Amino acid sequence: MSEAELELFLQASVRLGAPLALAALGEAVTERAGVINIGLEGAIIAGALGGALGALAFESGGAGVLAGALAGGIVALVFAAFAVGLGTDQIITGTAVTLGGLGLTGAVYQARFGATGTALTLPTLAPVRLPLLADIPLIGDALFAQAPTTYLAYALAPALWYFFFRTEWGLELRAVGEQPDAAAAAGVRVRRVRLLATLLGGTLAGVAGAHLALAHAGTFAENMSAGRGFIAIAVVALGRWNPPWVLLAALFFGAASALQYLLQALGLDLPYQLFLAIPYLLTLAALAGWLGRARAPAALATPWPPPR
Amino acid sequence: GGDAGPGEGDAPLRVALLTAGPVSDAGWYAGAYEGLLAIRDSLGAEVSHQQTRTPAEFDEAFLAYGSSGYDLVFAHGFEYQDAAMRAGEQFPATTIVVSGGGRVAANVIPFIFELEEGSYLAGMLAAGMSESGTIGMVGGVEIPPVQGTFRAFEAGARAVDPDVEILEAFTGNWDDVAAAKEAAAAQLARGADVIIHNVDAASFGVFQAVREVVGMGRTAWALGMNRDQNDVAPDVILGSAVIRIPEAFLEVALALQARGLGGEPIYEGASEGVVDFVLNPALSSRVPPDLVGSMDAARERIRSGELAVPRVPFVETESGIR
Amino acid sequence: MIAVRARLDGVVRRFGSVEALAGASLEVRAGEVHALLGENGAGKSTLLSILGGMLRPDAGTIEVGGRQVALASPRVAWALGIGLVHQHFTLVPPLTVLENLALGRRLQPARLGRTLTRLRAEAERLVQRTGLDVRLDARVEQLAVGERQRVEILKVLLRDPSVLVLDEPTASLAPAEVASLFELLRGLAAEGRAIVLVAHKIDEVLAVADRVTILRAGRTTFSDVRSKVDAASLVRAMVGESVTDVAAAVGVVVVASGSARAAAVGVGVGASVTVDDAARRRPGGLVATLADVRMHASVGRPALEGVTLEVRRGEIVGIAGVQGNGQRELARVLSGRSLPDSGSVQLPAGVGFIPQDRTLEGLIGDFDLAENVALALHADPRFTGPAALRWDAVRAEAERVRTRFSIVASGTKAPAYALSGGNRQRLVIGRELLVASDLLVAEDPTRGLDVAATAFVHDQLRRATETSEGPGVVLISGDLDEVLALSDRLLVVSRGRLTPVPENARTREGVGALMLGDSSAAA
Amino acid sequence: MPRPDRFRLGAGWVGAGAVAATGAVSALLLIVGGYDPFEAAGAALGGAFGSADAFLSVTLVRSIPLMLTGLAVAFAFRAGVWNIGAEGQLLAGAIAAAWVGLVGRALPAWLLLPMLLALAAFAGALWALVPALMKVRLGVGEVITTLLMSFVAIELTAFVVRGPLQEPRGVFPQTEAIAAGARLPALVPGTRLHLGVVLAVVAAVAVAWLFRQTKLGFRMRAVGASPEAARMAGKIDTGPVTLVAFLGSGALAGLAGGVQVAGVTYALYEGYSPGWGYTAIAVALLAALDPLWVLATALLFGALEAGAAAMQRDAGIPAVWAVAVQALLILAVLALDQMRRRANAGSAGV
Ligand SMILES: Nc1ncnc2c1ncn2[C@@H]1O[C@H](COP(=O)(O)OP(=O)(O)OP(=O)(O)O)[C@@H](O)[C@H]1O
Ligand SMILES: Nc1ncnc2c1ncn2[C@@H]1O[C@H](COP(=O)(O)OP(=O)(O)OP(=O)(O)O)[C@@H](O)[C@H]1O
Ligand SMILES: [Mg+2]
Ligand SMILES: [Mg+2]
């Protein structure tokens, strides 16, 4: 492998990891509050479409990101209205929200651009080279010549860590995810915390979708989220619900995905399905080897107040 | 939908379309849907479309259309072929046309688009335009139409430059634009400078990857597939291998109305004018005239049957597999 | 005129078809310690939860500080100065004690560090003042029940409530801690606060209360000042039955069986009656042996350091100790629930086990009574066919347990989560007595039981060990009166080691000293 | 995770209410999209229940894989094993079934068919064994591992239909049709309804019996409800019970894959499952993990899908709209069910 290829591999790792990181960091907040939002996939695809429409309307990638964030937040609001407000089962609600997100984005897309789709070319979110950092050999370009949304992910990891473990709000959030009854007894507004955590998660998933459309693909296609919402949920667990680890896990997953393209480009004569399975196999190996024994928030997926 | 109008005269033709993916892909399925609408508009046919998500739905869909008396069902994908054979037996009055299918019965007709003929020309162009001597192919899922176009692309390229190196990658699906982009980017990094795709809706990722390296000062090109994508990324797409699916569908419907389809596979290729390779007018000046000349010559030889483009034979007939 | 801090009137609360409160009233005044008494399931916890904003009443009025209020949530209650120490813990296990104290305080929302620093100082001061010893930096999940209880109390005290409500705070505290807690409560009352206290030990209650209110079956049946009541009248008001029953409940249980032994236990009123040892037979054969058992606790330091113990049939071996000295691990090893790191363990087949934490370890909240009884019977051939459980037999057994232990529940199909704290404990004890044909390991078996139930359980334990064919009983308890009264042999567990209590040290003081690791008392 | 809390979905007004609320919201959505809601509703109802054939050949046939995977999920969840990888286990079963159905041509049907089903179940269990061992031996949470195994199974399916099991022409990424003797016979002649539905009902009854009556089922429920109490009060060794839950769940999901191959598609394809294993989670949870109720909720989801397909065909509603309406229906059912539960609980909710 040449150095150029290695460098490209690293760049691809970060490119593929960034949307996962954004969505997973948001989901980490949601899950720390005891809510598992399986509807993340729906929020990502909504973010992608919102990003595309916003970028077109305002002719600006930045506006697109904001629109994508809003779209993801709206999807999360629907989820929260049912799962947090009404206390419906989070898994079923999330399933429905993903289904609805994929369906409605398709419907809106077709209504706007015709039933047979169109070749959307979007104003993109151009990479920004960070001075000095981007000049670091090998990893400089990969890490520090990326779209602004990638830097958002970098910044969120320590910021969320601080929030979780160094603020009283974070303490309340964690308590709500572990023992909502105890949190409520201490005067914490459990449902409000859960609502806000879910909204933040959806908003970041929306940013992840906008990033996919504007910083990565430069277009929108139906189903272009391609299961990243579910991968992000796995990434949260892989990162043990701890933001810096979640970021690393997302980048690890990005690298494992990038590896498949690298290996295919190298022309190894193996069935390509093997390459496609690499990210999952590597993650399994990582879990078995040294990343196991993570403990989820105890009240994850438990409605509050409890149904009894 | 609704009931077939009780006719003074002939009841309208009833035509259905089955696709295994969204028709908003601006590609393979979109073409079929446009064909269906063309049939509706030109022939006054009553039309219906269903997108299936799994092979388990195939029999059900045929059952629904067969039992409610549809005349013609376009099953737009090879995967429908087995269920089509079962349905053909059960509903003799319904004609089923299976795009890319491999099995034939009196009323089950494989509909073969010889896109190979277009991608052979694309291969010629790719090898002729490549400065690095490396070109790439990015596929979605490795299915016969994709294999066919890629083998023909290789043959066309080798015809121009026997030593050309050809990379191949698959992303495993048709929707993941980001994955298609990364696959193309990896090939570009390995030195490929002309990339063709067969990833349907995700093709934009390929174009985007090419655009980005061009933006960094390299020379690289992309090639479109399935439909004329030249205006999608007019700055990087040299040309497209196209199938004129809507026209072909309309022709099939007309033929059915006029005389029936008669249990024979339908081949639509360059000689029928359904498959072609179209240069991007915006960039045609960049293509050396003698390359254009040899492509034109090849086109003529294909049309006349003189040049046999490699194909993956798969239609099972009494005389063997063709 | 003393200010009325809080008044609940005509409060009704239903759970489905169960009417937990059917018109209960309670008036709490500034400067008083107000004891709320009642049998298990009388509605005490429900009433206090309403006062703490955890539950909403179906009917009735609540006044706080002279104004009618709707206590819609714990936040509201906190804001009105009402602090509730729950009967079931409301702590977040993976957080540290200090973090639990900080939860919901909003002192410095964006700077947890500062909040913690400030609370640490306050908490340390409070620990000093109250004698409630807690490790501020330990995670709650590492703590034994007693220590958790101390954290609960500390948590509420730190918020400086004007109405302090405590639901059975003493059930898992050591005697010395109970004494200092009560001293503290008196002090707080003297500052003008109102204290509401639920406890089952009438002697304790009478020692500290200014006023007593009694709930029976969801209704307030009695309320008066301390000076006008005595133990017998209180029990009568609680139970509302004939005098002999009352006497039994208060402390003198006359065993009316044909047995030669007339055993008497004194609990409840504190006047211990010594056991008529002569009447007891010699213990029988060896049923369980531990030899040089060592074990690590799930976290941290060694829990058992070379424990050797022999248990014989028909004897009650009392093991006294302050929570967190290894009794949890000892109980698990003795009951075959855990394997030690080293040492030999010989156990019989029929082992009953009453664990320390009934809610998490003893019962399954979502299971009904019969299913909870099945937890002990599912491996017993008498209750199983080749694959299936004989549910009819299990259910019949559960019904027997229910009636024998007077468990207040709609039937054997009632889920365990709907039982009051005391009734949960009754269920566990009743079930374990079924299977303890050879050995019964009991940790604080009467924790949270009302007077009558405590007496009944003690009686059951003594009856079981009446003959040398009966099971051996290991009674692990922090309740000195209980172990002193019941044990044939008494040991003290301290820092993972067992020390026999010499005959001359079998007093509250002597054992108490040993529990705290003072070996000179044994000499 | 939610605790099993038995309830009755069919309770009269819930059904009526669900229909009303859903009708209103979906109608609004369709009108905004420019479609006729009444035509859509007619088509959907007709497609799901309109005739005996619609019900038997479409709705019921669609619900069979959901019944079996729903049971698989309930089986695991009841024991506290959060197996969200029924999808992968189903695919493993489908692969095994296709293999048996292809290589066993020489065998008589009475032997071949049971063998196919048994091997499908076995393969599903085997696929669940990896996360099971990772959980029991290494303590790795199963939510992520079972999900990852599903992604691997999808690629494995894609591989086998191009490699070892590809049809003899070597062109199409699919298998040849399995032997006639390997196919599940029709239950009602003239319809597509196959014997798999009987299998699903028998499995549901068996699982219900297991949970309600047997020692093993009791132990599974105890471990699921409270592992701590199961160990302390029940003296139950949770490891083996957890293993059984994984394997049984995997076997049921694998059986679902086998039944689909033997009863519906007769061949294996890439992209074989539209996500039955994931829908199954919703099916099982909506049934409050009660095996018999799984049959009913699977039927509900089967009808939803049948209706969505018919809406496309007969009312010209595009697939994306049909999916959106389906999502709304699920939300409406959830919401109404929740309100009914609250009402039933009286004032118990805090
Ligand atoms: N059905 C719902 N849909 C959307 N949001 C809801 C719904 N129900 C509640 N919420 C939001 O959740 C928040 C929390 O609601 P809840 O009433 O439980 O808490 P609160 O009133 O803020 O606190 P407390 O009850 O502890 O005083 C509300 O502020 C509201 O915005
Ligand atoms: N969540 C619930 N669901 C159903 N019934 C309940 C629930 N909580 C309490 N009950 C019932 O309400 C009654 C009163 O219970 P409560 O806990 O108030 O009793 P208590 O006086 O505190 O008893 P103890 O001394 O045993 O703690 C009991 O019969 C109990 O079974
Ligand atoms: Mg109580
Ligand atoms: Mg509120």
Side-chain angles (χ1 to χ4, degrees):
Chain A
M1 199 192 323
S2 72
E3 191 169 318
E5 273 163 357
L6 183 60
E7 211 167 301
L8 185 99
F9 162 70
L10 292 174
Q11 286 171 14
S13 305
V14 177
R15 271 201 303 269
L16 287 164
L20 290 178
L22 286 164
L25 285 167
E27 176 73 7
V29 177
T30 309
E31 292 192 14
R32 277 280 185 178
V35 178
I36 185 163
N37 183 2
I38 304 267
L40 210 57
E41 179 80 6
I44 293 178
I45 192 71
L49 180 63
L53 294 176
L56 283 177
F58 299 100
E59 310 228 322
S60 134
V65 172
L66 291 182
L70 186 68
I74 290 172
V75 171
L77 183 65
V78 173
F79 172 82
F82 282 84
V84 178
L86 277 172
T88 56
D89 184 273
Q90 294 175 11
I91 308 274
I92 315 179
T93 311
T95 307
V97 165
T98 287
L99 210 58
L102 292 172
L104 274 180
T105 50
V108 170
Y109 176 71
Q110 291 185 16
R112 172 81 169 69
F113 300 109
T116 53
T118 190
L120 271 189
T121 303
L122 301 174
T124 53
L125 211 54
V128 176
R129 272 183 73 88
L130 297 186
L132 296 180
L133 287 173
D135 299 326
I136 301 172
L138 202 60
I139 60 165
D141 270 339
L143 289 172
F144 303 113
Q146 295 283 353
T149 35
T150 307
Y151 302 132
L152 176 64
Y154 295 168
L156 275 172
L160 288 177
W161 178 87
Y162 185 87
F163 169 72
F164 282 170
F165 302 109
R166 290 290 181 271
T167 69
E168 249 186 90
W169 292 313
L171 182 70
E172 291 184 5
L173 181 93
R174 287 185 286 142
V176 163
E178 291 290 344
Q179 240 323 335
D181 287 337
V188 176
R189 300 181 175 193
V190 171
R191 282 197 291 184
R192 172 174 300 189
V193 169
R194 287 188 159 190
L195 173 74
L196 292 176
T198 308
L199 288 182
L200 180 67
T203 305
L204 284 175
V207 174
H211 173 98
L212 266 186
L214 301 173
H216 205 160
T219 190
F220 176 85
E222 265 182 53
N223 301 334
M224 72 180 284
S225 47
R228 285 184 175 77
F230 300 102
I231 304 285
I233 288 168
V235 164
V236 175
L238 190 62
R240 299 153 170 253
W241 293 270
N242 193 349
W245 283 106
V246 168
L247 175 64
L248 283 181
L251 292 177
F252 169 82
F253 211 91
S257 312
L259 194 60
Q260 81 196 24
Y261 306 117
L262 180 73
L263 292 176
Q264 286 199 52
L266 287 177
L268 298 184
D269 194 19
L270 287 169
Y272 75 89
Q273 294 83 13
L274 180 66
F275 297 127
L276 295 179
I278 281 177
Y280 315 117
L281 294 172
L282 274 180
T283 308
L284 277 170
L287 282 169
W290 70 95
L291 288 173
R293 293 212 187 270
R295 210 183 51 81
L300 190 61
T302 325
W304 193 90
R308 42 167 78 143
Chain B
D3 296 332
E8 336 88 82
D10 287 337
L13 190 67
R14 303 181 74 202
V15 183
L17 169 68
L18 293 175
T19 62
V23 297
S24 61
D25 61 350
W28 172 250
Y29 296 123
Y33 190 66
E34 282 167 2
L36 185 73
L37 298 186
I39 292 169
R40 179 192 66 190
D41 297 340
S42 320
L43 306 183
E46 185 190 322
V47 299
S48 170
H49 165 235
Q50 183 185 344
Q51 179 185 331
T52 60
R53 289 184 305 145
T54 157
E57 290 171 73
F58 297 167
D59 284 305
E60 174 194 311
F62 285 123
L63 171 76
Y65 285 131
S67 62
S68 48
Y70 273 76
D71 304 296
L72 176 59
V73 179
F74 286 100
H76 198 49
F78 74 91
E79 53 268 67
Y80 291 103
Q81 57 183 328
D82 291 352
M85 292 298 282
R86 292 192 283 270
E89 207 168 305
Q90 198 181 348
F91 304 106
T94 301
T95 300
I96 304 174
V97 173
V98 183
S99 303
R103 296 187 202 278
V104 196
N107 58 340
V108 180
I109 318 251
F111 193 21
I112 316 297
F113 298 104
E114 294 168 316
L115 186 55
E116 290 87 349
E117 297 173 354
S119 38
Y120 182 89
L121 299 177
M124 291 179 70
L125 179 62
M129 291 297 286
S130 174
E131 286 163 19
S132 63
T134 303
I135 57 180
M137 311 180 290
V138 176
V141 182
E142 195 180 8
I143 56 173
V146 176
Q147 285 172 332
T149 52
F150 282 5
R151 296 298 82 77
F153 180 82
E154 288 169 350
R158 297 240 147 77
V160 170
D161 174 5
D163 298 326
V164 68
E165 191 181 336
I166 304 171
L167 306 176
E168 183 182 45
F170 291 93
T171 64
N173 71 71
W174 309 108
D175 315 307
D176 193 339
V177 191
K181 179 184 168 187
E182 291 303 341
Q187 295 184 341
L188 289 163
R190 261 199 88 69
D193 56 359
V194 186
I195 308 230
I196 194 165
H197 78 85
N198 201 337
V199 285
D200 204 34
S203 61
F204 292 66
V206 176
F207 307 145
Q208 190 68 19
V210 173
R211 265 189 185 145
E212 282 179 13
V213 296
V214 169
M216 294 187 314
R218 273 181 60 183
T219 305
W221 307 106
L223 298 171
M225 179 70 89
N226 281 333
R227 71 207 308 263
D228 186 347
Q229 295 185 304
N230 293 343
D231 58 348
V232 170
D235 45 336
V236 293
I237 298 182
L238 276 178
S240 301
V242 301
I243 318 176
R244 302 198 172 95
I245 301 177
E247 291 82 345
F249 267 38
L250 185 56
E251 245 173 69
V252 168
L254 279 168
L256 179 74
Q257 248 187 347
R259 54 181 190 277
L261 291 174
E264 272 293 306
I266 305 169
Y267 291 89
E268 299 272 16
S271 42
E272 291 81 10
V274 165
V275 167
D276 201 355
F277 184 86
V278 211
L279 273 176
N280 180 1
L283 295 175
S284 54
S285 60
R286 307 287 295 268
V287 183
D290 52 334
L291 182 56
V292 176
S294 55
M295 284 170 66
D296 285 340
R299 180 184 287 110
E300 283 317 309
R301 286 166 58 220
I302 292 170
R303 285 202 174 145
S304 66
E306 205 177 317
L307 172 64
V309 167
R311 288 196 296 111
V312 180
F314 50 77
V315 178
E316 229 170 42
T317 62
E318 270 144 36
S319 53
I321 295 171
R322 338 201 300 243
Chain C
M1 174 75 205
I2 303 165
V4 174
R5 274 290 158 80
R7 177 186 288 132
L8 293 95
D9 208 21
V11 174
V12 176
R13 168 72 204 210
R14 289 175 214 97
F15 296 101
S17 59
V18 180
E19 196 166 50
L21 293 176
S25 310
L26 179 69
E27 191 177 278
V28 194
R29 301 173 191 194
E32 73 172 9
V33 175
H34 193 138
L36 180 63
L37 302 181
E39 288 185 294
N40 292 136
K44 303 180 294 294
S45 295
T46 306
L47 188 64
L48 296 192
S49 293
I50 286 171
L51 187 53
M54 297 291 286
L55 290 176
R56 270 158 240 185
D58 296 323
T61 57
I62 305 170
E63 277 173 35
V64 177
R67 279 187 312 137
Q68 192 158 331
V69 293
L71 295 172
S73 73
R75 289 179 70 81
V76 177
W78 282 121
L80 291 169
I82 302 169
L84 171 60
V85 175
H86 294 263
Q87 181 176 13
H88 310 297
F89 297 132
T90 54
L91 298 171
V92 185
L95 299 184
T96 66
V97 170
L98 196 58
E99 285 171 331
N100 267 284
L101 299 181
L103 186 60
R105 296 301 301 275
R106 294 278 174 113
L107 300 180
Q108 291 264 337
R111 322 240 350 218
L112 181 60
R114 292 213 176 167
T115 298
L116 293 182
T117 313
R118 199 174 123 188
L119 281 178
R120 182 185 299 277
E122 280 179 35
E124 276 167 356
R125 233 172 300 138
L126 199 59
V127 166
Q128 286 272 299
R129 199 174 127 208
T130 60
L132 291 168
D133 185 23
V134 295
R135 294 172 282 158
L136 291 176
D137 296 309
R139 271 182 284 134
V140 166
E141 62 198 358
Q142 304 172 341
L143 305 184
V145 172
E147 204 170 347
R148 289 186 193 200
Q149 182 70 69
R150 300 197 288 270
V151 177
E152 279 294 352
I153 297 170
L154 210 57
K155 189 173 86 174
V156 174
L157 287 179
L158 262 180
R159 296 205 182 195
D160 197 21
S162 59
V163 179
L164 175 60
V165 183
L166 303 104
D167 194 354
E168 296 194 39
T170 56
S172 39
L173 294 185
E177 289 173 324
V178 172
S180 62
L181 174 67
F182 282 178
E183 208 173 300
L184 175 77
L185 295 183
R186 290 249 48 103
L188 291 170
E191 290 171 12
R193 286 170 228 273
I195 316 286
V196 182
L197 174 70
V198 170
H200 284 297
K201 294 189 180 169
I202 291 177
D203 57 334
E204 282 181 7
V205 168
L206 290 179
V208 71
D210 299 307
R211 181 177 291 273
V212 178
T213 293
I214 289 176
L215 273 187
R216 197 163 84 209
R219 281 191 175 76
T220 301
T221 54
F222 175 92
S223 189
D224 210 337
V225 292
R226 156 74 182 92
S227 52
K228 298 209 184 139
V229 297
D230 60 23
S233 66
L234 285 182
V235 171
R236 196 174 306 122
M238 279 161 60
V239 185
E241 284 165 20
S242 66
V243 182
T244 43
D245 287 341
V246 172
V250 172
V252 186
V253 179
V254 181
V255 179
S257 70
S259 115
R261 186 177 88 202
V265 282
V267 193
V269 290
S272 315
V273 181
T274 37
V275 179
D276 180 4
D277 277 320
R280 290 198 67 133
R281 291 194 191 155
R282 307 298 313 157
L286 216 55
V287 280
T289 314
L290 302 188
D292 198 27
V293 162
R294 285 164 201 280
M295 189 176 177
H296 275 81
S298 49
V299 279
R301 67 209 148 78
L304 297 177
E305 302 196 87
V307 166
T308 298
L309 179 68
E310 291 185 341
V311 184
R312 297 178 173 276
R313 286 190 176 280
E315 69 168 348
I316 297 179
V317 180
I319 296 180
V322 178
Q323 285 284 344
N325 275 283
Q327 42 272 81
R328 193 180 163 93
E329 288 74 17
L330 177 61
R332 288 185 178 196
V333 170
L334 256 179
S335 60
R337 263 62 175 184
S338 293
L339 290 176
D341 298 339
S342 69
S344 82
V345 179
Q346 270 153 21
L347 296 179
V351 182
F353 176 40
I354 301 168
Q356 189 186 47
D357 187 334
R358 61 192 167 219
T359 309
L360 288 181
E361 298 175 346
L363 293 172
I364 294 181
D366 287 320
F367 277 16
D368 68 18
L369 262 52
E371 288 171 318
N372 271 296
V373 167
L375 278 175
L377 301 180
H378 66 93
D380 185 333
R382 286 175 301 151
F383 294 93
T384 55
L389 270 166
R390 290 182 44 216
W391 278 109
D392 47 345
V394 171
R395 205 162 279 284
E397 206 63 33
E399 181 56 33
R400 225 162 300 149
V401 169
R402 190 174 79 84
T403 44
R404 213 158 76 112
F405 285 81
S406 325
I407 295 172
V408 184
S410 52
T412 58
K413 295 209 164 171
Y417 70 72
L419 297 181
S420 77
N423 282 303
R424 292 179 191 184
Q425 187 70 5
R426 292 170 190 228
L427 177 58
V428 173
I429 296 171
R431 175 186 71 201
E432 295 305 322
L433 280 172
L434 286 179
V435 290
S437 54
D438 301 319
L439 177 66
L440 177 68
V441 181
E443 279 187 271
D444 288 325
T446 55
R447 180 180 165 215
L449 292 190
D450 63 29
V451 188
T454 301
F456 180 73
V457 167
H458 287 169
D459 178 41
Q460 289 292 318
L461 293 181
R462 298 201 63 88
R463 277 202 209 200
T465 52
E466 215 165 42
T467 72
S468 54
E469 277 77 55
V473 173
V474 177
L475 173 64
I476 302 172
S477 175
D479 181 341
L480 282 182
D481 296 326
E482 184 171 79
V483 280
L484 281 170
L486 287 174
S487 309
D488 297 308
R489 273 199 299 137
L490 186 56
L491 301 95
V492 162
V493 62
S494 174
R495 299 201 185 124
R497 292 175 197 282
L498 282 183
T499 319
V501 176
E503 209 49 48
N504 63 359
R506 259 187 93 130
T507 60
R508 284 189 121 231
E509 296 69 33
V511 178
L514 279 171
M515 275 164 61
L516 298 173
D518 183 356
S519 54
S520 64
Chain D
M1 288 282 173
R3 31 174 81 90
D5 177 12
R6 291 176 201 95
F7 66 95
R8 298 294 168 248
L9 188 76
W13 68 269
V14 187
V19 170
T22 307
V25 185
S26 327
L28 203 69
L29 190 73
L30 288 172
I31 290 167
V32 169
Y35 303 97
D36 179 352
F38 292 104
E39 197 187 347
L45 280 173
F49 303 109
S51 62
D53 203 40
F55 182 69
L56 297 177
S57 293
V58 180
T59 299
L60 213 45
V61 169
R62 275 184 185 258
S63 62
I64 293 169
L66 295 177
M67 290 176 178
L68 285 167
T69 47
L71 285 174
V73 171
F75 191 85
F77 278 24
R78 263 299 178 89
V81 168
W82 307 114
N83 173 21
I84 59 168
E87 181 79 357
Q89 293 139 22
L90 176 145
L91 290 174
I95 292 172
W99 178 72
V100 174
L102 291 171
V103 302
R105 287 193 188 281
L107 298 175
W110 63 263
L111 182 61
L112 184 53
L113 189 55
M115 230 172 81
L116 177 146
L117 296 173
L119 249 89
F122 179 76
L126 205 64
W127 206 252
L129 185 64
V130 178
L133 290 178
M134 282 178 80
K135 162 124 178 167
V136 175
R137 288 283 164 80
L138 304 173
V140 181
E142 68 275 22
V143 169
I144 169 168
T145 52
T146 49
L147 183 68
L148 291 169
M149 287 298 288
S150 291
F151 290 127
V152 175
I154 289 170
E155 301 305 339
L156 181 68
T157 312
F159 168 69
V160 298
V161 297
R162 284 204 182 73
L165 295 184
Q166 190 171 23
E167 47 86 29
R169 287 164 293 176
V171 176
F172 298 104
Q174 67 169 83
T175 66
E176 191 74 335
I178 57 171
R183 302 183 187 185
L184 282 167
L187 186 67
V188 181
T191 70
R192 296 176 59 228
L193 184 62
H194 54 85
L195 213 55
V197 72
V198 177
L199 226 55
V201 172
V202 169
V205 172
V207 174
W209 177 77
L210 180 96
F211 280 144
R212 279 181 205 168
Q213 300 295 335
T214 68
K215 284 183 273 191
L216 176 65
F218 175 73
R219 286 173 190 155
M220 288 174 65
R221 286 195 293 128
V223 172
S226 167
E228 204 49 29
R231 265 193 298 269
M232 288 301 134
K235 235 189 152 182
I236 294 167
D237 189 354
T238 52
V241 173
T242 301
L243 206 61
V244 166
F246 266 110
L247 298 184
S249 176
L252 283 164
L255 185 64
V259 164
Q260 279 307 91
V261 169
V264 179
T265 62
Y266 309 133
L268 186 65
Y269 300 80
E270 187 162 25
Y272 189 70
S273 166
W276 287 309
Y278 300 119
T279 309
I281 299 172
V283 165
L285 289 173
L286 193 60
L289 307 184
D290 182 320
L292 298 180
W293 275 99
V294 164
L295 298 177
T297 52
L299 197 67
L300 173 74
F301 276 80
L304 277 177
E305 289 183 358
M311 248 196 279
Q312 291 187 50
R313 281 193 305 264
D314 299 339
I317 311 278
V320 283
W321 285 99
V323 167
V325 169
Q326 207 180 330
L328 264 174
L329 270 157
I330 298 172
L331 286 179
V333 170
L334 266 180
L336 283 149
D337 177 57
Q338 189 68 14
M339 288 175 201
R340 184 196 54 81
R341 277 207 245 186
R342 286 207 177 160
N344 275 8
S347 52
V350 181

